Amino acid sequence: MYQGKEIKKNQEFLVTIEDLTAEGAGVAKLDGYTLFIKDALIGDQAKVAIMKTKKNYGYARLVEIIKPALNRVEPVCSVAKSCGGCQLQHLSYEGQLQYKQNKIMSCLQRIGGFKDIPMEPIMGMEEPYHYRNKAQFPVGRDKNGKIITGFYAGRTHHIIDTSHCDIQAKENDVLLEKVKEFMEEQRISVYDETNHTGLVRHILTRVGFHTGEIMVCLIINGDKLPKAEKLVESLKDIPGMTSIQININKEKTNRILGDRCEVLWGKEYIEDTIGDIVYQISPLSFYQVNPVQTTKLYGTALEFAGLTGNEIVWDLYCGIGTISLFLAQKAKQVYGVEIVPQAIEDAKKNAKRNHMDNVEFFVGAAEEVLPQQYAKSQGTMAADVIVVDPPRKGCEESLLDTMIQMKPEKIVYVSCDPATLARDLKYLCERGYELTRVRGCDMFGHSYHVETVCLLSRKAQ
């Protein structure tokens, strides 16, 4: 049996890939010793070279594919292998959907302990390219001093120079070139994160897929952008251009956006629609990046909620009110909770913009606001349905406990991480609920990420 100490760096082996990790890497076995291999697929027979070893597992790179997996395809993007944005372009889209479906099932079984899972077919995309309405491009210089934009290579801050991305909005190609030309002509400096000098850190773009409205925002390490009027002159006549802004981020941090934005031209926001609801989107707003699939995702959440017009609904982690307003179309009253003050301001504007007066929003952490409101009501605060759409880390136990105390008939859990979803569902189902519906939604084609919508129904007492 192989041991890590017997396997050395750069040694080559012939392996067959048996599985994929949650991050989309291939898994092979050397007589029980596990190897993780980026860009490998189940069924690949390949020659691999050892990169790093631990006692019971190691990492290897693909040297040569001897016999490819049946669902292996040639990536559309020329830098797909080196860029960190897409991990699965070499897997057919049908294969990606199956991988994501299996990933949800596996987490619910292994972590949640569920056996008879009421799994429904995953919702895939009709067109899995050019689907993203938001992009954040880091800005740097190549070895010749030329300004470059692109995306970071996986697990690094090394920029892969590309002026085109096959999953981003097509409009970005022109926008990036215009900004780079402005920076070169006006000699605008590029941020250097090592010594915290230079001005332009990132270029943020948003495109309203249904409205055609465009936003460009430069994130800068300073208080103002020199010759800003030249940038405005270059961009303002592009069809759809609605908002040109700067965002000030002078902190030495990996966080992309600072807290303050200034409008150089146009409006503070762009608008877009999901279903019949119109949303105002600012640079700091959280808004789902795939509007076509978001309509499916929220439509499924609304279907699972089964609203008749008489329900009181709490929407936790509500962002700019995207799900809240979807629910408000069919509910008696909706209460939204979100920790980001700017998002709540956007949510209130969105409710007003859509003439909805049956929605109320609270600023604060969901795990603090809901228990506080419930305690203040002395246990009388009711909810017929609770919807949660938490960050990747899932829900705090204090929040789950309050939800259980409130005894809603239904809990609709929207998740971006199957592992924390399974953990939280297990907790809820051990305390009076049962899992009655599960459906995946592919929001991020060619990546390993997947969204899931689950319906929990309260067991009869």
Side-chain angles (χ1 to χ4, degrees):
M1 183 174 179
Y2 288 102
Q3 296 293 322
K5 63 184 178 182
E6 298 171 359
I7 297 176
K8 296 179 181 178
K9 188 175 180 179
N10 296 324
Q11 275 186 298
E12 294 187 352
F13 296 92
L14 291 176
V15 299
T16 298
I17 308 304
E18 302 175 9
D19 202 358
L20 291 180
T21 68
E23 289 77 35
V27 181
K29 301 281 188 179
L30 288 174
D31 192 22
Y33 185 77
T34 303
L35 284 179
F36 299 109
I37 305 137
K38 182 178 177 291
D39 301 318
L41 296 176
I42 296 172
D44 279 341
Q45 295 177 22
K47 181 189 290 185
V48 302
I50 303 300
M51 298 170 62
K52 188 177 182 180
T53 62
K54 300 284 186 179
K55 183 179 178 181
N56 297 314
Y57 65 93
Y59 298 90
R61 61 180 174 83
L62 279 176
V63 174
E64 179 186 358
I65 296 173
I66 307 300
K67 184 179 179 182
L70 293 176
N71 52 14
R72 176 175 281 279
V73 296
E74 189 65 30
V76 170
C77 176
S78 61
V79 295
K81 190 171 181 179
S82 54
C83 176
C86 294
Q87 303 85 34
L88 296 174
Q89 265 202 38
H90 53 291
L91 177 59
S92 70
Y93 188 62
E94 294 75 15
Q96 292 179 35
L97 293 180
Q98 189 60 57
Y99 162 74
K100 294 179 183 188
Q101 181 94 337
N102 293 344
K103 182 176 177 177
I104 297 168
M105 287 281 286
S106 175
C107 286
L108 291 176
Q109 290 167 345
R110 289 185 301 102
I111 301 169
F114 295 97
K115 293 180 180 177
D116 298 320
I117 300 168
M119 195 82 183
E120 300 175 23
I122 189 169
M123 294 176 279
M125 301 184 209
E126 283 75 34
E127 177 47 66
Y129 293 98
H130 301 296
Y131 61 82
R132 289 184 62 96
N133 59 14
K134 175 189 175 185
Q136 297 173 143
F137 300 93
V139 183
R141 291 189 185 275
D142 64 15
K143 59 185 179 182
N144 298 317
K146 179 186 172 185
I147 293 175
I148 59 172
T149 58
F151 299 98
Y152 291 129
R155 302 181 188 279
T156 76
H157 270 210
H158 169 67
I159 299 173
I160 302 298
D161 181 20
T162 175
S163 59
H164 173 78
C165 175
D166 289 291
I167 64 170
Q168 302 288 351
K170 294 178 181 178
E171 291 86 345
N172 285 331
D173 295 5
V174 172
L175 302 177
L176 287 178
E177 285 307 308
K178 292 280 188 182
V179 174
K180 286 191 288 185
E181 285 174 10
F182 157 75
M183 291 180 64
E184 294 280 15
E185 290 172 4
Q186 305 304 324
R187 299 185 179 181
I188 305 296
S189 60
V190 170
Y191 181 69
D192 183 330
E193 65 179 20
T194 304
N195 52 33
H196 194 51
T197 58
L199 188 64
V200 179
R201 304 172 70 129
H202 281 78
I203 302 166
L204 165 71
T205 66
R206 287 186 183 269
V207 178
F209 269 44
H210 298 291
T211 62
E213 295 186 356
I214 296 173
M215 171 187 290
V216 174
C217 180
L218 272 59
I219 294 91
I220 62 173
N221 176 41
D223 290 306
K224 68 175 186 174
L225 179 68
K227 304 292 181 69
E229 70 280 0
K230 297 290 186 182
L231 177 67
V232 169
E233 190 179 309
S234 174
L235 294 174
K236 68 182 179 64
D237 292 328
I238 292 175
M241 187 58 64
T242 303
S243 176
I244 304 172
Q245 303 190 39
I246 56 171
N247 173 268
I248 289 86
N249 182 3
K250 296 189 285 185
E251 302 297 318
K252 194 170 185 179
T253 175
N254 286 336
R255 182 182 168 203
I256 293 176
L257 288 161
D259 295 324
R260 182 161 59 96
C261 296
E262 291 184 9
V263 177
L264 300 178
W265 178 88
K267 299 191 293 187
E268 296 177 348
Y269 57 85
I270 63 170
E271 290 187 344
D272 204 11
T273 61
I274 300 176
D276 296 326
I277 309 296
V278 181
Y279 297 94
Q280 293 183 359
I281 311 157
S282 67
L284 299 176
S285 297
F286 172 77
Y287 184 74
Q288 292 281 10
V289 300
N290 186 333
V292 175
Q293 292 299 99
T294 298
T295 303
K296 296 179 185 178
L297 182 73
Y298 291 174
T300 302
L302 185 59
E303 178 193 338
F304 283 13
L307 302 177
T308 64
N310 299 312
E311 292 85 3
I312 295 173
V313 182
W314 280 81
D315 176 21
L316 310 178
Y317 309 97
C318 69
I320 63 170
T322 42
I323 294 183
S324 300
L325 300 189
F326 244 64
L327 297 166
Q329 296 174 100
K330 298 285 181 69
K332 179 180 179 181
Q333 179 70 37
V334 177
Y335 298 99
V337 182
E338 170 59 49
I339 195 170
V340 181
Q342 177 62 49
I344 288 295
E345 286 305 309
D346 286 343
K348 290 176 179 176
K349 290 175 184 175
N350 286 328
K352 187 175 181 180
R353 173 72 175 76
N354 291 278
H355 311 291
M356 292 181 172
D357 56 9
N358 61 334
V359 191
E360 184 178 346
F361 294 102
F362 296 86
V363 178
E367 57 269 22
E368 295 174 5
V369 171
L370 196 70
Q372 286 169 1
Q373 292 295 320
Y374 186 69
K376 190 188 295 184
S377 75
Q378 298 183 324
T380 62
M381 188 172 79
D384 299 294
V385 179
I386 294 179
V387 178
V388 289
D389 186 5
R392 205 164 297 283
K393 67 177 182 176
C395 298
E396 300 282 344
E397 276 192 14
S398 59
L399 178 62
L400 296 176
D401 285 337
T402 304
M403 289 164 57
I404 291 163
Q405 291 172 48
M406 290 174 69
K407 299 179 180 178
E409 287 302 312
K410 296 176 182 177
I411 296 172
V412 179
Y413 196 130
V414 182
S415 169
C416 61
D417 188 293
T420 56
L421 167 70
R423 179 201 68 199
D424 291 350
L425 293 187
K426 180 181 181 181
Y427 192 89
L428 291 165
C429 288
E430 288 173 345
R431 292 161 177 81
Y433 286 85
E434 60 181 340
L435 182 60
T436 53
R437 295 186 74 176
V438 182
R439 192 162 196 192
C441 183
D442 184 26
M443 300 280 285
F444 313 103
H446 309 294
S447 80
Y448 59 76
H449 298 290
V450 62
E451 295 271 334
T452 313
V453 189
C454 295
L455 172 62
L456 297 172
S457 301
R458 188 163 168 255
K459 293 177 185 174
Q461 299 299 307

